[in-house]
Structure formats: structure tokens, C-alpha cells
Amino acid sequence: MMAKIRIGVSVVVVVAGVVLGLMIKAMAAQAPDIEVFASDVPVSIPVTNPAQLDYLDGLADNLKKINTSCKQKCINVKKRGVSASGKDVRVNLQKIIDEASKSQSTVYLPAGTYGIKGVLHLRNNVTLIGDGEKTVLRQLQSNKELVSMENVRNVTIYNVKLDQSKVKHTTRESNHTIRIMNSAAIQMSKLVIKGSVSKSEQEYGDAIYVAQKKLYSRKTEQIVAKNIVIDGASRNGIAVVGGQNMLFTDITLKNMSHKLNAAIDIEPDTGAEVRNIKFSNVEVKNENIHVWTKTGTINNIVLDKVRALEGRLIIKGKVNNVLFTNGSAPYVTIEVEKDETLRPKNVKLLNSTFSNTKLKEVVFMSGENIMIENCIIKGGTEYGVRDVGIKGYFVMKNTQVYNSKGDGVFLYRAKHVELIGNEVSENKNYGVMLGNTSRSTVDTVVISGKNQFYNNGRDDVQIRLPNSKITIGPEEQIEGF
């Protein structure tokens, strides 16, 4: 099937292949200012692929070492007189945890509800285990965290339900269900978390909060969270504001109804860095996924098999190397801050589906060096894929873009554009629009790899790029005008 390509302004067209050369010359006859050259096979743009961070998967192997049977070096809290009737047992339970830290023992909480009036501190070398959702740690005091791991290492919490939802908080942002700060080798597995509740827009606390502060020299690192259900929070579901080398896998976040924040929020504190973080097999029922910072630094983020059913994926600010793979979301924004030096760089969307019929775009981009590969992009009331200020390169490869009510793909600022083996069809306006504005800064375009552009409302490809070099591969099927 031949694609209709219309060139509306002065460009240099480099054609690989004699037959196509004839077709482009026929088109050039109606636009005499176009120079036409023959060329070998187009040279692809060199791209930067974000790190896969596969080594982080090995952190989860440590979970197999958890003492879950309470047969050796284990303290049964009921045998120590700790009641599971829902009344406050924090003081006695804290004493047992402190004792277990000294002997590197496991603390076992049999089924029941353990009231905590204040903050329960987990110490070095402690494993806290329960009987699943039948073991409940419940916060009884307003304006307090439930479980804190601060300046500790080698701590595990396993098979417990944590409930922060039964008290009314009045202070903002600090009433987390789990707080991890300047701690290492932390494992959380088989947890159900009921976060703090807000009926207003107040931000009372995150379900899981991970930070690295200047208060201690210990780094926050080697954090593993596996098989966790987070059912509501009045701020973020999982907030990572500092630290490195973390794996969050097999996570479900639901009832995240707080409009101002996110199910997943990777957002460093001022001057902090978040580095080498992987989320794998995560389902977000609602709310957004944020990877952004104005005042910190984010490096090397992998979102693998992350399914955002309703919320948006937002990558914004000083962010370097993000891979979103094997997942889905209704909307993606890769966005520069008002200070244009704070621009996401090296972002790749791979093997994923993005679809919505209500928002202006499906993929909105103003970052630097962006690649979309093997994706499905469907819908958008005005655009499927929209460039609003890309720097560097934009590469789209083996991707379907269809059913936009406007243009399928609109590009005008990326310096280098490459379209390889895509299928762009059934869009109501143009399939691909390159340029169409006086602010266009595209320098080179490569179209190769047997793209299929068809059944778009106007031209399949419209090129309006002054002083640009367009290279078309020998395998492309082009219909000249």
C-alpha cells in the first residue's frame, strides 16, 4: 500500500532506491525548489537505551531466607503476655522488638489485632512476622506513623496487615503507615496496608515512604517490597524521596482517591538523589504515576509490567534514563519544567499500550532523546503522539498509532526524527505531520523499515520543514503528488 506524502516547503530529500527516486522526482516537479538526491540505505540515529536494572531482581531472592515458621530464635508475643484484643500494646511490643534486635531473633505476632498508640520502631536485625491479614497492627493515635525503620539495617516485616485508617489525622504529610529513612537491607513481603484516610484534599501520609536525609550517614539502599496490597492512602501509595537500589514487585494499589498526589511517586527531596529503582508487575487501579523533580535528581528508573488502569504516567523535570516496558497507561507526559534545564532525558517506551478517547493527547512530549518502540497508541481527541518541545532525537519504531480524532503523530521540535516500520492509520486528520509551524527545529528525518501509512483523513504524511534533510529508505512505498 502506497502512502501519500506531501512536501509543502523547501527541503532536501535523499532517496535510497531508483524507483522511489522517480516517484519523488514526480513530486518535485510540482515543487521545483526541492532538491532530490540518491542515497544508500539510511543511517539510523544512535540512541541511548536506559538501563534494564536486571541485577535488582536478585534482591528479591533474599526473601527466601525469612524465618516464617517461628521454630528457631523466635519470640511468640502472646506467650510474653501481649494481648491481641485491639487494645494498645505498643510499649510491651516495643520491648520485645528491642530484645529481639540484640539476639537477631524473629518476633511472631499470632492472629489478632494489636493496637499501637504511637510509633512502633523496628530495630536492627529484626524479623517481624504474622499470620497474614488475620494479624493486624492498628494505629490508635492521631498524627503518628505506624511503623518506622530509621537508621537501621537487616529488617524484615512479613505477612501482616497494617491499618492506619481508623484514626483521624490533622497534621499534614507525616502520618505514614510505613516510614523507611536512612536504612538498608529492608524487606517487606506479603503485606496489606490500609493507609490514612482523608475525606478532603488534606495530605496526611503515604502508605510507604522511603527517604534518605542528611541526619544520618547511613544510605537508604537495598529496599525490597514484594506481594503487597495498598488499599488507600491520603497522600501517595509509595513515595520514594531519596535512596538507591530498590525493587518493588507484585504490588497492587487501589482506592488511591487523593487527587493531588499519586499511587507511585518518585520525587526526591531538595538536593537528594533517587537512583536505580525498579517497579515490576504493579497494578494501579486509579491515580497517577509520578517520576519528577525540580530540586533533586532522578537516575535510572525501570517501570516493568506496570499497568495504570486510569491514571497518567508523568515524567517531568531533572530525570535521566527511564524505561517503561510491558505496561499500559491511558496517558503519558514527558515534560520539561518552566526552567528548561530541568528536562527529562533518555526516555524509552517499549512493548506497551497507551489508549484514551477523552484527553487531548495520548503521548505528550517535551523531553530530550525519546524513543517509542513496539507500542500501541490509540485515541486522543487531537493527537496520538505530540511533540511540544523535544530536544535531541525522537525515534518511533514498530509502533501502531491509530484512531486519533486529529493527527496521529505531530512532530516539529526534535532535531533528529526517525520513523521505522510503524503503522499509522485511521486518524481523522494527518497520519504524520512534520512541521506546520514557524518554530520548527527539525534538522533531519529518516523514514525507513517499511512503514505503513494509510486510511488517514488527509495526507498520510505531511512534511512542512524548512531547510531539513529527509531520507527515505528503499523499502518505502511512496505515492508522489
Side-chain angles (χ1 to χ4, degrees):
M1 181 178 295
M2 288 191 177
K4 297 180 180 180
I5 298 184
R6 185 185 299 276
I7 298 179
V9 295
S10 177
V11 297
V12 176
V13 180
V14 180
V15 181
V18 177
V19 176
L20 280 176
L22 294 175
M23 293 180 181
I24 295 295
K25 286 178 182 178
M27 177 171 60
Q30 296 191 21
D33 54 355
I34 297 176
E35 297 182 75
V36 182
F37 297 92
S39 171
D40 294 329
V41 176
V43 177
S44 295
I45 298 168
V47 300
T48 299
N49 286 300
Q52 299 277 346
L53 301 183
D54 290 339
Y55 75 92
L56 289 177
D57 295 334
L59 291 177
D61 294 339
N62 293 330
L63 294 173
K64 300 175 183 177
K65 302 175 184 178
I66 296 175
N67 177 13
T68 61
S69 62
C70 199
K71 291 181 179 179
Q72 295 180 345
K73 296 185 70 174
C74 182
I75 302 172
N76 185 326
V77 300
K78 280 194 174 179
K79 292 182 179 180
R80 291 292 190 90
V82 176
S83 168
S85 62
K87 295 180 180 180
D88 177 33
V89 295
R90 184 188 65 83
V91 173
N92 289 337
L93 187 54
Q94 188 66 66
K95 289 179 180 178
I96 293 172
I97 290 172
D98 295 347
E99 175 189 336
S101 175
K102 295 176 183 178
S103 59
Q104 301 187 26
S105 297
T106 295
V107 176
Y108 170 51
L109 304 175
T113 298
Y114 300 84
I116 305 296
K117 195 171 184 180
V119 182
L120 188 66
H121 296 275
L122 300 188
R123 308 300 191 191
N124 291 319
N125 305 312
V126 165
T127 296
L128 185 71
I129 66 173
D131 288 327
E133 291 190 57
K134 295 178 180 179
T135 298
V136 181
L137 286 173
R138 176 169 292 156
Q139 181 61 268
L140 302 179
Q141 185 174 344
S142 299
N143 304 325
K144 294 291 184 180
E145 301 155 357
L146 180 52
V147 172
S148 176
M149 289 169 264
E150 182 174 336
N151 195 28
V152 296
R153 65 177 296 110
N154 298 328
V155 176
T156 296
I157 180 168
Y158 174 82
N159 214 26
V160 175
K161 181 176 180 179
L162 306 172
D163 188 359
Q164 181 80 320
S165 68
K166 300 300 183 182
V167 292
K168 184 178 181 180
H169 299 292
T170 57
T171 58
R172 300 182 65 223
E173 299 193 12
S174 59
N175 308 298
H176 313 303
T177 308
I178 296 177
R179 183 185 70 136
I180 301 168
M181 188 172 80
N182 295 78
S183 295
I186 305 299
Q187 303 179 74
M188 300 169 282
S189 181
K190 291 191 176 181
L191 304 182
V192 174
I193 300 175
K194 290 282 290 184
S196 56
V197 175
S198 173
K199 295 182 179 179
S200 64
E201 293 300 317
Q202 293 298 315
E203 305 167 308
Y204 292 130
D206 305 319
I208 298 176
Y209 171 86
V210 185
Q212 181 171 305
K213 305 290 187 180
K214 295 181 180 180
L215 185 62
Y216 304 105
S217 61
R218 190 193 304 275
K219 293 181 179 179
T220 296
E221 60 184 349
Q222 295 180 297
I223 309 298
V224 179
K226 184 174 183 179
N227 293 326
I228 293 177
V229 175
I230 297 176
D231 186 2
S234 66
R235 195 166 181 253
N236 303 301
I238 299 173
V240 180
V241 303
Q244 61 188 355
N245 298 329
M246 304 180 199
L247 174 66
F248 299 85
T249 183
D250 303 323
I251 311 287
T252 298
L253 300 105
K254 58 185 180 179
N255 297 320
M256 308 299 300
S257 59
H258 196 280
K259 297 179 181 179
L260 298 180
N261 292 289
I264 297 172
D265 185 43
I266 302 173
E267 185 178 4
D269 289 331
T270 299
E273 181 185 18
V274 172
R275 178 161 55 95
N276 301 342
I277 311 297
K278 184 172 185 178
F279 282 81
S280 179
N281 195 28
V282 177
E283 184 169 274
V284 177
K285 300 290 187 181
N286 53 4
E287 286 303 326
N288 298 333
I289 298 169
H290 294 168
V291 183
W292 67 12
T293 181
K294 287 183 181 180
T295 58
T297 304
I298 298 174
N299 287 298
N300 304 330
I301 304 298
V302 173
L303 303 171
D304 178 28
K305 301 182 186 70
V306 174
R307 300 170 298 281
L309 303 185
E310 297 177 24
R312 306 181 183 193
L313 170 62
I314 301 173
I315 303 169
K316 186 175 181 179
K318 194 175 181 181
V319 179
N320 297 297
N321 300 324
V322 177
L323 174 63
F324 185 93
T325 181
N326 303 311
S328 63
Y331 177 87
V332 179
T333 177
I334 305 166
E335 187 175 358
V336 65
E337 288 282 0
K338 291 181 180 180
D339 177 354
E340 291 207 5
T341 64
L342 304 178
R343 181 183 297 273
K345 295 181 181 179
N346 304 328
V347 177
K348 185 172 184 178
L349 308 178
L350 176 66
N351 300 332
S352 296
T353 299
F354 309 100
S355 174
N356 79 73
T357 58
K358 297 180 180 179
L359 300 173
K360 190 174 181 178
E361 309 93 2
V362 182
V363 180
F364 173 98
M365 307 172 296
S366 60
E368 180 174 338
N369 300 341
I370 298 171
M371 184 172 187
I372 302 175
E373 183 176 358
N374 293 335
C375 289
I376 296 173
I377 298 169
K378 178 182 178 182
T381 61
E382 295 187 23
Y383 306 94
V385 176
R386 184 186 182 195
D387 168 5
V388 291
I390 297 175
K391 301 289 185 181
Y393 63 73
F394 171 77
V395 176
M396 190 170 79
K397 183 177 181 181
N398 299 334
T399 289
Q400 299 178 48
V401 183
Y402 63 101
N403 281 4
S404 168
K405 293 182 180 179
D407 297 339
V409 179
F410 174 77
L411 302 168
Y412 83 108
R413 295 299 297 276
K415 185 176 178 65
H416 305 288
V417 172
E418 187 165 4
L419 304 176
I420 312 167
N422 302 291
E423 183 177 350
V424 182
S425 64
E426 309 295 341
N427 300 289
K428 288 196 174 180
N429 201 32
Y430 297 103
V432 176
M433 168 59 77
L434 296 170
N436 196 28
T437 170
S438 61
R439 295 184 297 160
S440 295
T441 56
V442 177
D443 181 63
T444 59
V445 177
V446 175
I447 301 175
S448 64
K450 295 185 180 180
N451 289 278
Q452 299 180 61
F453 307 117
Y454 63 92
N455 288 353
N456 297 288
R458 300 179 72 177
D459 297 328
D460 293 314
V461 181
Q462 174 78 240
I463 301 175
R464 301 182 188 179
L465 295 172
N467 306 313
S468 297
K469 178 181 177 181
I470 314 297
T471 302
I472 300 176
E475 67 283 351
E476 300 303 299
Q477 296 294 306
I478 305 297
E479 177 184 333
F481 284 83

